[in-house]
Amino acid sequence: MNILLLGSGGREHAMAWKMTQSHHCDKLFIAPGNPGTALIGTNVIIALTDFEAIQNFCLEQNIDIVVVGPEEPLVKGITDFLTATNNNKKWNGIVVGPSANAAQLEGSKAFSKAFMKRHQIPTAGYAEFTLNNFEEGKKYIAQHSLPVVLKADGLAAGKGVVISETHDEALQVFESMIVDKQFGEASSKVVIEEFLKGIEVSVFVLTNGKDYQIIGHAKDYKRIGEGDTGLNTGGMGCVTPVPFMDELFMQKVESKIIQPTVDGLEKENFIYNGFIFFGLMNCNGEPYVIEYNCRLGDPETEVVLPRLETDLVSLFAAMDNGTLADTNITFHEGSFATVMAVSGGYPQDYEKNKIIHLPDAKTNDSLIFHAGTKQNEAGELVTNGGRVLAVTSQSDTITLAVEKSKAVLEKISFEGMYYRRDIGWEF
Ligand code: AMP
Ligand code: GLY
């Protein structure tokens, strides 16, 4: 099968790496990809939101499967576009990624909260407000327990959630979101919700909107500083399997969260072929949904896919032909850890274009996934983002896997490079 993967981060490098292991993968194209994906497939320059160009490419190159990495094209309707007739042209292939309607599970916090309420899926209590009931919202906040969580309804590049320790701060945030439109349209509606105390974990599912398979889970480390301190980032590292995500906890996740979510999608006739990323809070052994994402996570994918033994391309075919429920999911033995190397200054301002020195790939069995890298005009590999490289290793324990990744990171260098040395500290 010929595959087109959309995206350019560490997640996409890991997806590309996993798909090229499959004997069902003939040609792999990545749009736009990065220098890491260029090593295992063909990068093509197409903008992720140029749906017409993507459709033309699929027709010209006889693409069988389009795998959508990030959320933006999904929320903007790429799946609906590629499965429809446009300008009298129809491409007949599989898209891995939900329809725009179903992608609102990620694209609108208010939508996802209402969905969870309709299907009795455990989540934090909440209320939603716009400019129309702004005064009511202020009263709601003033009486709310602390901390209180404010969320811009729409996509806000991961910055739309604020956890306030004081009512004054919460009221200021509320005003800047709704009145000053801090995130534009995305914050014209705000969800205010209870703070859940617990440990955050993620579970990844592939579904056809009827059946599903769990393809992995992970715990990620969001803060920039060691000891889980400092600013939030997109993720500084991940581990899997997570010791406390034992059979009992996973049974609860399935019966209280995954099954009702998939049943809810089916009952409400959503077209959903793709991944669901369940962002969960483990509150004293009880799982609650913090958020849904309609895609895989980054850097979670870099740890989840190396552990997954099952052929990913076969899973996509099974998702499409109705045999997903009969597929057998298997995992590699041992523990996996990803440690992320980031640019100095990240998640605040940082410089790009720093020359990256990588060790000889043959010196270890760890995987180095490119996230924010590019090739400069001289053909050198340079930094091109906050999160630059993800190093994934497997070993008998989480601690040993982290040590292995750190040993590889010792041999990687670029000016200002930083990574957390304490990923997996609690295990
Ligand atoms: P989200 O964009 O919904 O993933 O929120 C970003 C982060 O805010 C999450 O990963 C959590 O760490 C935190 N968060 C969101 N909602 C809550 C909540 N209700 N209680 C505690 N933490 C939360
Ligand atoms: N690592 C969190 C995300 O991909 O949304």
Side-chain angles (χ1 to χ4, degrees):
M1 281 192 270
N2 296 333
I3 303 174
L4 172 64
L5 170 64
L6 303 179
S8 61
R11 167 182 52 210
E12 285 76 20
H13 188 185
M15 293 171 91
W17 168 84
K18 178 68 181 163
M19 291 192 291
T20 52
Q21 322 269 300
S22 170
H23 64 270
H24 298 295
C25 180
D26 296 318
K27 285 189 197 160
L28 174 66
F29 298 95
I30 310 96
N34 66 34
T37 63
L39 300 171
I40 47 179
T42 307
N43 287 352
V44 287
I45 301 168
I46 311 179
L48 296 188
T49 45
D50 190 347
F51 297 169
E52 223 169 292
I54 293 170
Q55 186 199 34
N56 286 336
F57 185 85
C58 289
L59 289 165
E60 282 157 24
Q61 297 291 334
N62 294 317
I63 297 294
D64 300 289
I65 309 182
V66 173
V67 183
V68 187
E71 64 279 13
E72 193 195 349
L74 293 166
V75 172
K76 290 191 170 154
I78 189 164
T79 303
D80 311 70
F81 188 92
L82 289 179
T83 51
T85 302
N86 304 291
N87 304 322
N88 295 320
K89 286 185 279 188
K90 175 88 167 74
W91 170 71
N92 290 302
I94 305 171
V95 185
V96 182
S99 61
N101 271 343
Q104 287 184 85
L105 279 187
E106 173 165 3
S108 163
K109 304 275 187 205
F111 175 91
S112 74
K113 295 298 283 190
F115 178 88
M116 287 184 259
K117 205 169 165 182
R118 284 198 294 282
H119 300 288
Q120 287 98 46
I121 295 164
T123 187
Y126 81 107
E128 59 182 74
F129 298 96
T130 62
L131 200 53
N132 293 335
N133 55 355
F134 181 67
E135 292 303 320
E136 206 183 305
K138 287 197 332 203
K139 281 187 208 137
Y140 187 85
I141 290 173
Q143 286 161 15
H144 202 286
S145 57
L146 293 172
V148 53
V149 184
L150 287 91
K151 297 185 173 183
D153 177 52
L155 295 180
K159 296 189 164 57
V161 175
V162 177
I163 299 173
S164 281
E165 301 282 348
T166 67
H167 289 119
D168 280 350
E169 189 203 42
L171 287 165
Q172 271 168 28
V173 170
F174 185 58
E175 186 162 335
S176 61
M177 281 190 182
I178 289 196
V179 181
D180 308 335
K181 295 203 182 317
Q182 188 188 359
F183 300 105
E185 262 312 292
S187 66
S188 61
K189 189 184 277 180
V190 171
V191 164
I192 295 173
E193 72 177 37
E194 287 166 9
F195 179 79
L196 294 173
K197 200 168 157 42
I199 305 171
E200 244 181 293
V201 286
S202 335
V203 174
F204 300 90
V205 159
L206 183 69
T207 184
N208 55 12
K210 196 160 113 17
D211 303 310
Y212 68 86
Q213 290 287 355
I214 298 176
I215 61 155
H217 72 255
K219 178 173 190 306
D220 83 336
Y221 295 79
K222 283 205 167 67
R223 302 294 197 92
I224 187 73
E226 289 174 5
D228 292 332
T229 54
L231 294 174
N232 258 325
T233 70
M236 295 297 292
C238 276
V239 300
T240 191
V242 179
F244 65 75
M245 295 183 77
D246 53 13
E247 214 169 302
L248 177 67
F249 183 74
M250 286 307 288
Q251 268 170 14
K252 289 184 191 170
V253 171
E254 278 204 73
S255 63
K256 296 182 180 190
I257 291 171
I258 302 176
Q259 190 69 58
T261 298
V262 175
D263 288 349
L265 290 170
E266 190 181 9
K267 266 187 222 146
E268 298 190 27
N269 295 315
F270 283 113
I271 297 174
Y272 205 120
N273 290 297
F275 296 107
I276 311 180
F277 164 165
F278 294 84
L280 305 177
M281 192 69 92
N282 174 352
C283 304
N284 294 320
E286 287 302 318
Y288 288 79
V289 177
I290 296 246
E291 61 164 352
Y292 291 115
N293 295 305
C294 57
R295 51 169 175 88
L296 291 180
D298 197 350
E300 291 86 345
T301 307
E302 289 96 301
V303 86
V304 162
L305 291 186
R307 179 173 174 243
L308 180 69
E309 188 173 41
T310 309
D311 181 330
L312 191 59
V313 181
S314 304
L315 277 174
F316 294 152
M319 172 196 82
D320 182 63
N321 66 24
T323 57
L324 192 59
D326 310 323
T327 346
N328 191 23
I329 303 286
T330 55
F331 298 101
H332 293 296
E333 290 291 311
S335 295
F336 292 74
T338 296
V339 181
M340 192 61 98
V342 304
S343 296
Y346 173 80
Q348 290 173 298
D349 292 345
Y350 55 84
E351 288 175 16
K352 294 183 182 175
N353 299 309
K354 306 294 181 194
I355 294 174
I356 303 170
H357 303 280
L358 291 178
D360 183 346
K362 292 186 191 73
T363 58
N364 62 75
D365 63 355
S366 298
L367 298 159
I368 301 177
F369 295 119
H370 292 234
T373 73
K374 70 170 185 188
Q375 235 163 4
N376 66 12
E377 276 164 16
E380 297 159 317
L381 186 69
V382 295
T383 62
N384 190 37
R387 293 188 293 167
V388 178
L389 296 163
V391 180
T392 300
S393 309
Q394 184 257 7
S395 194
D396 292 343
T397 65
I398 288 177
T399 311
L400 289 173
V402 173
E403 288 306 319
K404 248 170 111 172
S405 283
K406 278 162 46 181
V408 174
L409 282 155
E410 290 282 312
K411 298 184 198 143
I412 297 176
S413 62
F414 55 86
E415 193 190 312
M417 170 173 145
Y418 166 76
Y419 59 93
R420 272 182 65 171
R421 289 161 188 280
D422 68 339
I423 299 302
W425 59 269
E426 69 274 60
F427 300 117

